Amino acid sequence: MSRNFLVVDPEEGLEVLKGLASAIRIKILKLLHVEGPLNGNDIAERLSLPQSTVSTNLQILETAGLIRTETQKARKGNQKICHSTFDEVLVMFKEDITPLRSNTIEVAMPLGLYTSCEVSAPCGLCSSDGIIGLLDVPDTFLDPDRMKAGLIWFTRGFLEYQFPNNAKLAQNTITTMEFVMELSSEVPGTSADWPSDITLSVNGTEIGTWMSTGDYGDKRGVYTPDWWKLKGSQYGKLKNWRVTNDGTYVDGMKISPVSLTDLDLANHHSIRLRIAVKPDAKHPGGINIFGRGFGNYDQDIILRLHTAP
């Protein structure tokens, strides 16, 4: 089942913080999360609250984007059904964006800071200190300790990350967009001959698929901790995905015609990156994503935006 997360910067998400700043609204959110969609009368009854109090607080939650509503026919007229929007809300200050050049913006995204996920076993997460949660249990991907992850693996499914579109905020035109990350296939143990099709999407548009050739364990990764077993995945290949005005490239080789024009980034406040092994992949060989403390490069997932001078 797909899980949705919201990452809130307190400097930008005041409406969300206002929505959370009430014991009654927290109870409503918890009720909807546990029991699923309910109408206002059901919420008032379960929480033993006046209908007017519930209606006021539902309006605040909807304004904050923490719930969504839909109108359905009832025995007498219509009723408004309330749905919880997110499974988890994380409040986090964003780091200042470091300019590499006057026309380059770079953002480093920690592996565990995904905003949505849907994965199948075998799967798991590790920090540099040890295993996070339970191995081969997809619900472990909801563990708050995932924020410490330096290695993530799964067989099929996806992780989605939400980057700020700082070029739009600065009213600059993007000329090239890059994603840089260390990747490999995933097989029980390791195998240098284990192909896997890894697909990236941006804001719901597939930009292309790269085939990883193996899951590498012939030697310990440069940054992989000593406690991690040698029979486990040790390192990956550092891949550079580059989207330009004439297509998408991986390490300089064109893999698809999807261009910046197709992505229309100027009309998006965020850049949602989905990393997936699709159910219908020709080579469904799983994925390892290496971050800080693992692999050969000790880096997060990097988004780099090049803008017009």
Side-chain angles (χ1 to χ4, degrees):
M1 181 173 64
S2 179
R3 306 283 183 166
N4 293 305
F5 311 98
L6 175 64
V7 181
V8 181
D9 183 343
E11 295 179 330
E12 300 175 0
L14 293 179
E15 285 294 335
V16 174
L17 296 182
K18 178 182 176 182
L20 296 171
S22 160
I24 290 176
R25 292 195 285 277
I26 294 297
K27 288 179 180 179
I28 292 173
L29 288 173
K30 185 174 181 180
L31 179 66
L32 293 175
H33 178 73
V34 173
E35 296 199 18
L38 296 169
N39 64 34
N41 290 331
D42 290 335
I43 294 171
E45 181 179 347
R46 283 167 170 75
L47 297 180
S48 300
L49 292 170
Q51 176 64 45
S52 59
T53 300
V54 170
S55 295
T56 299
N57 284 281
L58 287 176
Q59 181 60 52
I60 293 172
L61 289 171
E62 187 172 15
T63 300
L66 292 167
I67 66 169
R68 62 179 178 85
T69 61
E70 61 176 338
T71 301
Q72 293 184 358
K73 289 186 178 180
R75 290 183 178 179
K76 295 182 179 180
N78 296 321
Q79 62 177 345
K80 183 177 286 188
I81 304 298
C82 304
H83 302 255
S84 177
T85 309
F86 301 102
D87 299 285
E88 185 174 334
V89 177
L90 172 68
V91 178
M92 181 175 181
F93 287 100
K94 295 176 183 175
E95 295 183 1
D96 291 336
I97 306 306
T98 303
L100 300 182
R101 300 177 182 172
S102 60
N103 65 331
T104 302
I105 298 171
E106 183 175 291
V107 182
M109 182 68 70
L111 258 60
L113 203 57
Y114 43 84
T115 55
S116 184
C117 67
E118 184 174 338
V119 302
S120 64
C123 60
L125 308 93
C126 290
S127 73
S128 57
D129 298 320
I131 303 292
I132 297 172
L134 301 174
L135 293 177
D136 301 332
V137 178
D139 280 351
T140 286
F141 278 62
L142 304 177
D143 192 314
D145 280 345
R146 72 179 191 275
M147 300 305 167
K148 304 174 184 177
L151 173 63
I152 297 178
W153 69 94
F154 55 89
T155 304
R156 288 183 179 84
F158 67 85
L159 298 180
E160 188 166 280
Y161 298 85
Q162 187 168 7
F163 291 84
N165 186 354
N166 291 294
K168 177 177 174 62
L169 294 176
Q171 298 183 334
N172 291 334
T173 300
I174 298 172
T175 58
T176 304
M177 177 174 63
E178 295 179 84
F179 295 103
V180 184
M181 65 197 82
E182 186 176 354
L183 302 169
S184 78
S185 309
E186 163 57 20
V187 61
T190 63
S191 173
D193 184 18
W194 191 262
S196 185
D197 293 336
I198 298 171
T199 300
L200 263 59
S201 302
V202 173
N203 291 347
T205 298
E206 285 189 13
I207 62 173
T209 298
W210 166 72
M211 189 186 76
S212 169
T213 56
D215 183 359
Y216 308 105
D218 56 305
K219 58 185 177 182
R220 184 172 294 280
V222 174
Y223 296 98
T224 301
D226 291 340
W227 68 263
W228 181 245
K229 59 187 184 299
L230 278 171
K231 293 183 179 179
S233 306
Q234 293 295 317
Y235 63 92
K237 302 292 187 182
L238 191 67
K239 308 307 294 183
N240 181 298
W241 301 67
R242 188 178 180 93
V243 186
T244 70
N245 286 318
D246 64 351
T248 298
Y249 299 76
V250 174
D251 297 339
M253 181 176 295
K254 191 170 185 177
I255 62 166
S256 88
V258 177
S259 68
L260 290 171
T261 300
D262 299 314
L263 299 179
D264 192 25
L265 297 176
N267 287 317
H268 291 272
H269 290 284
S270 64
I271 297 172
R272 290 181 293 105
L273 169 68
R274 177 171 292 196
I275 306 170
V277 177
K278 298 168 62 179
D280 59 350
K282 183 178 179 181
H283 303 102
I287 185 173
N288 279 282
I289 310 174
F290 298 83
R292 292 197 177 275
F294 277 85
N296 282 348
Y297 296 94
D298 195 37
Q299 68 164 53
D300 300 315
I301 299 172
I302 302 297
L303 166 67
R304 194 173 294 132
L305 301 175
H306 302 274
T307 61

